[in-house]
Amino acid sequence: MTDERRPTNEAPVRPRTRTEHPKAAVTSRRTPALAAAGCTALLLALTACTGPSSASGGKNGDTPPPARARTQAGTAGTPVPRGTGSRVPYDFNGDGHRDLVVNELVKAPQDSHGDDAGIGVVYGTDDRARPLDPATRQLLSARANAAKSGDTLPAAFEAESACDLDRDGFTDLIVSTDPPYNGIGAPPVPLQILFGSPRGLTGRAVTVRIPQQARFGNEWPEQPVCGDFDGDGRADLAVTASAGRVTFLHGPFTRTGAPRSADLLPDGGPYLYAPEPGRDTDGDGYDDLVAATSPHAPGRPGRGTLLLGSPKGPARPGGAYAFAAEKLPSAPLKATGATRTALLDHGDYDADKKPDTVVRTYRGERQDLIALYPAGNTDRPLLTFSTALFLP
């Protein structure tokens, strides 16, 4: 799903669709494609949710922090290491280690409203035996990190893609929101950018600026996919437009969310994805794009149409494309009843230049376990943790 040779990447998150009815917009974007979950009773001990190699505590088996240690929006359980910039994918703090982004965090038992807590970020480490440290984490939320639409903060705030859009050496996060819309004319752009920094993802996001000439029709611009589609070494964004068109935003982007330039391409689809596992399918130096008529879940079979990269972006027809099915290992979640497992990411977390596998096994909305398996070994995870870590 990712190409470790390139600095641009797409975060492994679920697709979204918008409706044209303004009152239905929030509901349509917040319907889960998979139900996340976490240990009941807020994990009286975090180790109760861990597998054979628990990462609930500090590095090297240190005593874990209390299960109810508060994680405020935009803060970490332990300080985020300061980086100086890197070309490692998903490296939000630029310290040379890959980080993990998770949507749809588990819900607390007393959460009767079922609101999403936000976006969870777990930062990478230099410990190859434990390449993620759940104690070093951030909770990003609309209230703390989203840009307003006029005077209104969005209710939805979910990660979509990740790449270094401004070329400063720190990966940036593209999120989807639900700005207010009166149903007249073209809807506002729901996509925002939260920029990386030496302290990770901090501060307020900015709305992606899509020039009017690069929009078409009255559908919501969605499905952002990162890639160097025009082969100039800078990260671009491809976004959906109406009637199967693609809005192509040339990077780099300014810190106000504006692309260098933008074009409207004729061929595409309502769903856009990066090819798996490598973005440049034909090795010509241009990242490619997959357009599909139905949603695709990572690791599952699916079909689409390949759009080949070129100096003008993903504009050359590439024929039919098939996503291959993948047999996923299950995180060792101790739960009674049926569970499901979803692929979160393939990426090099332990710096051995081989893609590791991150999966999430869950039951309902209150139990889950994330497991990181090293490349070529799905028998025993390097570490496990629950997203209940992010509960207040």
Side-chain angles (χ1 to χ4, degrees), residues 213-216 241 245-248 262-266:
Q213 72 270 17
R215 297 193 64 176
F216 183 83
R245 289 166 169 78
V246 173
T247 294
F248 176 45
D263 297 302
L264 185 64
L265 305 181

Side-chain angles (χ1 to χ4, degrees), residues 100-320:
L100 179 69
V101 181
V102 187
N103 281 325
E104 296 178 348
L105 308 177
V106 298
K107 295 178 174 61
Q110 69 273 20
D111 183 4
S112 60
H113 299 292
D115 293 334
D116 288 339
I119 302 166
V121 181
V122 177
Y123 283 85
T125 76
D126 58 2
D127 186 346
R128 296 183 66 169
R130 301 168 66 87
L132 287 172
D133 182 9
T136 308
R137 61 189 184 270
Q138 287 182 310
L139 178 61
L140 309 170
S141 69
R143 181 176 180 179
N145 303 105
K148 290 184 177 181
S149 179
D151 294 328
T152 305
L153 272 175
F157 196 67
E158 301 190 7
E160 295 287 352
S161 300
C163 48
D164 185 4
L165 290 173
D166 59 353
R167 299 194 72 196
D168 65 350
F170 303 94
T171 303
D172 310 312
L173 185 67
I174 300 94
V175 299
S176 61
T177 66
D178 57 347
Y181 173 49
N182 61 9
I184 300 174
V189 176
L191 304 175
Q192 299 185 5
I193 304 170
L194 191 59
F195 290 99
S197 75
R199 296 184 293 117
L201 294 165
T202 61
R204 291 282 179 181
V206 299
T207 300
V208 174
R209 297 190 177 186
I210 301 180
Q212 190 58 43
Q213 72 270 17
R215 297 193 64 176
F216 183 83
N218 293 333
E219 293 182 13
W220 295 87
E222 299 188 294
Q223 299 284 300
V225 179
C226 286
D228 181 11
F229 302 110
D230 55 10
D232 64 355
R234 295 173 285 195
D236 313 308
L237 278 183
V239 181
T240 59
S242 299
R245 289 166 169 78
V246 173
T247 294
F248 176 45
L249 305 175
H250 300 255
F253 284 64
T254 68
R255 298 294 291 229
T256 62
R260 175 172 54 90
S261 60
D263 297 302
L264 185 64
L265 305 181
D267 298 317
Y271 299 92
L272 301 178
Y273 301 98
E276 301 172 0
R279 297 172 176 279
D280 182 3
T281 60
D282 54 3
D284 64 353
Y286 301 94
D287 285 345
D288 306 317
L289 184 68
V290 178
T293 57
S294 58
H296 164 66
R300 306 300 182 187
R303 295 186 178 277
T305 301
L306 189 64
L307 303 174
L308 297 175
S310 71
K312 296 183 178 180
R316 293 186 297 134

Side-chain angles (χ1 to χ4, degrees), residues 38-57:
C39 289
T40 53
L42 297 181
L43 291 175
L44 294 179
L46 293 179
T47 52
C49 241
T50 58
S53 179
S54 169
S56 298

Side-chain angles (χ1 to χ4, degrees), residues 12 50 53-62 65 78-81 88-93 95-102 120-138 344-351 356-360 369-374 381-387 389-390:
T50 58
S53 179
S54 169
S56 298
K59 300 178 185 178
N60 304 318
D62 294 343
T78 59
V80 174
V88 172
Y90 295 105
D91 185 7
F92 301 111
N93 61 329
D95 65 349
H97 307 300
R98 191 183 183 101
D99 309 317
L100 179 69
V101 181
V102 187
V121 181
V122 177
Y123 283 85
T125 76
D126 58 2
D127 186 346
R128 296 183 66 169
R130 301 168 66 87
L132 287 172
D133 182 9
T136 308
R137 61 189 184 270
Q138 287 182 310
L344 288 186
D345 190 25
H346 280 313
D348 182 12
Y349 287 88
D350 56 7
D356 308 309
T357 299
V358 185
V359 299
R360 183 182 193 180
L369 197 66
I370 292 174
L372 169 61
Y373 291 88
L382 289 175
L383 58 89
T384 63
F385 63 91
S386 169
T387 63
L389 287 167
F390 293 96

